[in-house]
Amino acid sequence: MLDPRPHLGEPLALDLLNTRWMTADEPQDLLHDVAGLDSWLTTNTLADRCRSDEPTLRALRHAREAILTAVRIGSTEFDDLNDVLAHAHIRRTLTATGPVDVPEVPATEWLPGWLAADNLLHLLADAPHRIKKCDHPRCILFFYDTSKNGTRRWHSMSTCGNRVKAARHQAKKT
């Protein structure tokens, strides 16, 4: 199954949040079944590291909710995210190419969710103000603002940005 989502390429934590999106008709959820999980794992080059099965799907959905709660503006609810993070630890190793951090996840179904939660920690440490929800009123997608001045408002100018501008133009005409 090809990944049907309208917006790809965000950091792993935000890409996980973007497994839910809106169409003109209704909300969509890529993680409604194992086939969608397999698509997400493939898109994020994780298919060879984890199983596409019901336990992984449940764990990933739990991680998605935990990440969503953590990124909500003003949120101080981090228990669920910390629960996801508790499913693994990092083993530091020195190799011929230098230091390496290796996640050790005893229950492998938690690997993709843990990696997404760990990615969120890095995003929050680097620039939490750059984690944004699309400004279009009907859009539920997230993005990491990489614009020079940090003022990007939409996940995509060609879709949501143009829709907002067109609606503003129509409102002025009436």
Side-chain angles (χ1 to χ4, degrees):
M1 165 194 217
L2 290 175
D3 197 324
R5 296 176 296 151
H7 185 63
L8 304 173
E10 292 297 332
L12 190 62
L14 303 182
D15 191 75
L16 178 56
L17 292 180
N18 291 342
T19 56
R20 286 193 194 129
W21 71 97
M22 294 293 294
T23 63
D25 302 323
E26 60 189 355
Q28 301 292 313
D29 186 352
L30 184 66
L31 300 181
H32 75 279
D33 61 15
V34 173
L37 168 65
D38 188 57
S39 176
W40 187 82
L41 292 173
T42 300
T43 296
N44 288 287
T45 63
L46 294 170
D48 62 335
R49 296 177 65 188
C50 3
R51 293 185 306 267
S52 291
D53 59 14
E54 287 296 328
T56 304
L57 182 61
R58 281 191 300 275
L60 194 57
R61 285 181 186 152
H62 179 77
R64 179 176 65 184
E65 292 308 311
I67 290 168
L68 181 60
T69 299
V71 299
R72 285 197 175 118
I73 293 177
S75 178
T76 57
E77 298 292 321
F78 307 123
D79 291 345
D80 287 342
L81 186 68
N82 288 331
D83 176 56
V84 173
L85 292 166
H87 285 277
H89 65 276
I90 296 173
R91 181 174 46 91
R92 298 184 185 267
T93 309
L94 184 59
T95 68
T97 59
V100 176
D101 291 341
V102 179
E104 292 187 346
V105 187
T108 58
E109 67 268 16
W110 284 98
L111 178 63
W114 185 89
L115 290 170
D118 182 60
N119 175 248
L120 179 64
L121 295 184
H122 290 284
L123 296 175
L124 291 170
D126 290 344
H129 61 284
R130 296 224 178 223
I131 299 170
K132 297 181 179 179
K133 183 185 163 297
C134 183
D135 220 12
H136 188 280
R138 286 197 26 86
C139 187
I140 59 174
L141 296 174
F142 285 81
F143 64 94
Y144 190 74
D145 184 354
T146 57
S147 67
K148 186 175 181 179
N149 58 6
T151 58
R152 186 171 145 199
R153 296 179 50 199
W154 303 287
H155 81 275
S156 166
M157 184 60 196
S158 64
T159 55
C160 288
N162 281 343
R163 287 180 192 144
V164 169
K165 288 181 176 190
R168 248 189 263 138
H169 179 71
Q170 282 297 98
K172 284 180 185 177
K173 287 174 72 174
T174 58

